[in-house]
């Protein structure tokens, strides 16, 4: 019975080793003069600021410092100073190529030296049974008359003009008003404004306010007896009964534009001078948008189909790193809107862990597709020349109106652009292999 248990343990250990085949622990020991020089460097820094009774600042000797604070107080700073050199040595000695940032621990540390342990994750083996003739259909971009009509109506609405109205306020009109809000006969904060432009029907104000203005005209005044919603943000007003005294200064109504000479002049689109040329331009733009959307959808479906034929054991560390990268990009998007991640968590009543769980499936797919395309690129001997990279860098830099050098710096250098071009070439090759 004991023998059987031992066999089970051995088998389990072998499976664990097989699963962690891409995880490598590399020891790097630094000792002797290199270690002592690092300790001396740290002491020289500390000597400038450390205070020891009987010594002026910057004048304490090494032996007195070590007696007072202990030699161990120098170790961790020295370890930080040497870690990059140690990592370079780990990669050089092991000849491993990491796919994520390594983790590092200190195995031993004393006056004689330090031993780091770097855990290096390498690229997993990727096996693809097939990536040709996958029968993925690509849609055809078609633009209907109804879609063009809708876009024209949208443009006419966008270029709508507001003109003074003599009649009564109706839904959709713009009322320029003065108002004062009171609660129990007293004005409350935020309840007063002059010449405020309010679109009737926009639901900008509390329920009943805009409806109460319908039927009034310029010069009219009215008291609106209203009640704030019970879930209103300001606690002192939530559910409160209030009175708004409103004076209508001016009323404007929307005047729908016509497809006339003035409209085309305001539109200012090159080559568009009449309805026929406008319809042609809209059809061209809609078709281009649809073609781009269809192309993206086609590539996604193609990659998904290929992925069904892929066998790979992706290290969790690769997915973790991709999750962090995606969160950083999302944080940048929020920042451009003036929102921080912390504020996002408050608004959505979620946590960082919730966001990571939400993002993880997409991160897994991203890593899988990347590994898959890299393997196909290797199998197909896809290459990118220096000339192609230079030409693409110049093209993109020109589009963004920046120098080529600034563009390459922003994306992380020529190698990153070369990699992107290689992946794009591989995708183009996949499309070629799967033409209908």
């Amino acid at each position: 019975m004991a023998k059987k248990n031992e066999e089970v343990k051995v088998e389990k250990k072998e499976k664990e080793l097989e699963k962690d085949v891409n995880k490598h622990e590399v020891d790097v020991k630094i000792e002797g003069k290199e270690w002592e020089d690092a300790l001396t460097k740290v002491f020289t820094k500390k000597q400038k600021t450390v205070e020891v009774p009987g010594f002026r600042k910057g004048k304490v000797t090494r032996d007195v410092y070590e007696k007072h604070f202990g030699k161990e107080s120098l170790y961790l700073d020295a370890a930080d100073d040497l870690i990059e050199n140690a990592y370079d040595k780990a990669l050089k000695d092991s000849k491993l190529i990491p796919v994520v940032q390594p983790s590092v621990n200190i195995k031993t540390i004393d006056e004689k030296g330090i031993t780091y342990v770097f855990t290096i994750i390498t690229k997993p083996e990727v096996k693809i049974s097939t990536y040709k003739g996958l029968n993925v259909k690509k849609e055809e971009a078609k633009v209907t008359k109804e879609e063009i009509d809708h876009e024209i109506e949208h443009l006419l609405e966008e270029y709508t003009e507001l003109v003074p109205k003599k009649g009564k306020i109706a839904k959709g009109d713009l009322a320029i008003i003065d108002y004062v809000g009171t609660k129990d006969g007293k004005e409350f904060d935020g309840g007063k404004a002059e010449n405020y432009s309010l679109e009737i029907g926009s639901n900008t104000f509390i329920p009943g306010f805009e409806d109460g203005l319908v039927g009034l005209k310029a010069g009219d005044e009215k008291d609106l007896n209203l009640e704030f919603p019970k879930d209103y943000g300001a606690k002192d007003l939530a559910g409160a009964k209030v009175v708004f005294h409103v004076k209508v200064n001016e009323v404007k109504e929307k005047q729908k534009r016509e497809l006339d000479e003035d409209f085309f002049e305001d539109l200012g689109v090159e080559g568009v001078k009449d309805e026929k040329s406008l319809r042609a331009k809209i059809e061209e733009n809609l078709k281009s948008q649809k073609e781009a959307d269809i192309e993206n959808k086609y590539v996604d479906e193609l990659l998904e189909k290929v992925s069904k034929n892929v066998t790979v054991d992706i290290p969790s560390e690769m997915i973790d790193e991709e999750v962090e990268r995606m969160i950083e990009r999302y944080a940048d998007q929020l920042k451009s809107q003036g929102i921080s991640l912390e504020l996002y968590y408050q608004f959505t009543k979620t946590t960082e862990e919730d966001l990571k769980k939400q993002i993880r499936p997409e991160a897994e797919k991203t890593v899988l597709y990347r590994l898959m395309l890299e393997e196909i690129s290797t199998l197909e001997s896809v290459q990118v020349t220096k000339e192609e990279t230079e030409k693409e860098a110049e093209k993109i830099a020109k589009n963004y109106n920046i120098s080529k050098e600034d563009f390459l710096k922003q994306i992380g250098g020529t190698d990153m652009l070369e990699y992107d071009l290689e992946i794009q070439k591989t995708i183009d090759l996949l499309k070629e292999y799967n033409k209908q």
Side-chain angles (χ1 to χ4, degrees):
M1 192 70 183
K3 187 177 179 182
K4 187 176 180 180
N5 287 339
E6 287 172 8
E7 288 174 352
V8 169
K9 288 178 182 177
V10 170
E11 184 182 348
K12 184 178 179 183
K13 188 174 182 181
E14 286 176 348
K15 284 183 178 179
E16 288 174 354
L17 287 171
E18 185 180 346
K19 187 177 180 181
D20 293 337
V21 70
N22 304 107
K23 186 179 289 188
H24 312 267
E25 289 190 350
V26 180
D27 288 8
V28 175
K29 188 170 186 178
I30 293 178
E31 54 190 346
K33 186 176 184 304
E34 188 176 1
W35 178 240
E36 184 54 41
D37 287 347
L39 293 175
T40 300
K41 182 181 176 183
V42 171
F43 166 71
T44 302
K45 287 181 183 177
K46 289 182 177 291
Q47 185 187 39
K48 295 174 183 177
T49 56
V50 74
E51 294 183 5
V52 176
F55 289 85
R56 284 181 297 158
K57 189 179 288 188
K59 297 299 181 180
V60 66
T61 60
R62 174 81 174 267
D63 60 329
V64 171
Y65 173 89
E66 289 181 0
K67 285 178 182 177
H68 200 81
F69 297 102
K71 196 169 188 175
E72 298 83 1
S73 65
L74 304 174
Y75 292 169
L76 290 181
D77 285 344
D80 287 342
D81 287 347
L82 291 169
I83 195 166
E84 285 190 22
N85 288 342
Y87 180 48
D88 290 342
K89 182 174 172 57
L91 295 182
K92 184 178 178 181
D93 292 349
S94 67
K95 294 181 173 57
L96 296 171
I97 301 175
V99 289
V100 296
Q101 281 290 100
S103 61
V104 59
N105 288 302
I106 295 174
K107 190 175 183 180
T108 60
I109 187 169
D110 55 31
E111 61 181 9
K112 294 180 180 178
I114 180 173
T115 302
Y116 300 92
V117 182
F118 292 95
T119 302
I120 299 173
I121 308 298
T122 56
K123 189 174 177 179
E125 182 183 11
V126 182
K127 294 180 180 178
I128 308 178
S129 58
T130 184
Y131 50 85
K132 300 178 182 180
L134 298 174
N135 195 32
V136 178
K137 294 182 179 179
K138 185 177 179 180
E139 297 175 21
E140 184 182 348
K142 293 180 181 178
V143 179
T144 65
K145 177 182 177 299
E146 289 73 22
E147 288 172 325
I148 296 173
D149 290 342
H150 176 77
E151 286 300 310
I152 290 176
E153 283 299 316
H154 178 71
L155 278 174
L156 291 172
E157 180 70 24
E158 187 180 340
Y159 281 83
T160 292
E161 293 180 337
L162 289 167
V163 296
K165 181 179 181 180
K166 293 181 180 179
K168 296 178 180 180
I169 294 173
K171 287 284 180 73
D173 289 344
L174 190 76
I176 292 84
I177 59 173
D178 298 338
Y179 64 85
V180 178
T182 56
K183 175 187 172 186
D184 300 326
K186 295 180 180 179
E187 291 183 23
F188 54 83
D189 290 340
K192 184 178 181 179
E194 293 181 355
N195 289 319
Y196 184 90
S197 296
L198 176 64
E199 183 180 342
I200 308 303
S202 64
N203 297 318
T204 305
F205 278 35
I206 63 173
F209 190 101
E210 292 169 33
D211 288 341
L213 301 184
V214 173
L216 300 182
K217 58 184 182 300
D220 287 349
E221 297 187 37
K222 183 178 181 180
D223 285 336
L224 303 175
N225 294 287
L226 304 173
E227 186 175 323
F228 273 89
K230 292 181 180 179
D231 59 352
Y232 191 70
K235 290 183 179 179
D236 59 325
L237 292 175
K241 292 182 178 180
V242 295
V243 177
F244 279 99
H245 180 75
V246 183
K247 180 186 176 184
V248 181
N249 297 324
E250 190 179 359
V251 181
K252 293 182 178 182
E253 63 181 341
K254 293 178 180 178
Q255 188 177 68
K256 188 176 179 181
R257 299 293 296 271
E258 299 293 332
L259 293 174
D260 53 21
E261 190 176 334
D262 288 340
F263 173 74
F264 294 118
E265 188 175 331
D266 290 344
L267 197 59
V269 178
E270 188 178 352
V272 174
K273 297 179 180 179
D274 51 28
E275 183 177 353
K276 183 179 179 181
S277 55
L278 175 62
R279 296 184 76 87
K281 189 69 175 178
I282 290 174
E283 183 175 11
E284 179 188 334
N285 291 341
L286 285 176
K287 191 170 184 180
S288 294
Q289 291 170 14
K290 284 193 172 189
E291 285 174 344
D293 291 341
I294 288 170
E295 181 68 15
N296 290 334
K297 183 183 176 186
Y298 171 65
V299 171
D300 284 343
E301 290 176 352
L302 187 57
L303 293 175
E304 184 181 0
K305 198 75 176 282
V306 175
S307 71
K308 303 296 182 186
N309 303 313
V310 174
T311 303
V312 59
D313 186 8
I314 302 174
S316 60
E317 290 85 355
M318 289 186 74
I319 299 168
D320 292 340
E321 189 169 270
E322 184 61 31
V323 167
E324 294 298 332
R325 192 179 291 117
M326 291 173 73
I327 288 178
E328 282 181 19
R329 285 200 296 267
Y330 189 52
D332 288 341
Q333 290 174 11
L334 290 173
K335 189 176 179 181
S336 67
Q337 301 169 34
I339 303 171
S340 66
L341 264 180
E342 291 70 25
L343 203 57
Y344 166 80
Y345 294 139
Q346 290 178 27
F347 285 157
T348 57
K349 296 181 180 179
T350 57
T351 64
E352 183 181 358
E353 286 306 310
D354 293 330
L355 184 57
K356 285 182 177 180
K357 286 179 183 176
Q358 181 184 338
I359 286 175
R360 196 169 185 83
E362 186 64 26
E364 289 175 354
K365 186 171 79 170
T366 299
V367 175
L368 172 61
Y369 286 3
R370 186 166 68 234
L371 290 169
M372 178 178 83
L373 287 167
E374 288 172 358
E375 179 63 15
I376 295 172
S377 176
T378 300
L379 292 171
E380 294 289 340
S381 300
V382 175
Q383 292 183 337
V384 176
T385 65
K386 286 184 179 180
E387 290 75 16
E388 287 173 319
T389 306
E390 287 291 317
K391 188 177 179 181
E392 186 68 12
E394 288 170 3
K395 174 185 168 185
I396 299 175
K398 187 178 180 181
N399 288 341
Y400 284 98
N401 198 27
I402 59 175
S403 69
K404 184 181 72 174
E405 291 71 25
D406 285 342
F407 165 69
L408 290 172
K409 187 177 179 180
Q410 286 178 18
I411 66 168
T414 305
D415 289 345
M416 287 301 297
L417 180 58
E418 186 177 320
Y419 174 81
D420 288 343
L421 288 172
E422 182 182 318
I423 293 299
Q424 187 54 57
K425 272 191 170 186
T426 306
I427 291 173
D428 291 341
L429 197 61
L430 270 180
K431 291 192 287 187
E432 191 67 29
Y433 282 144
N434 291 279
K435 273 187 176 179
Q436 294 294 308

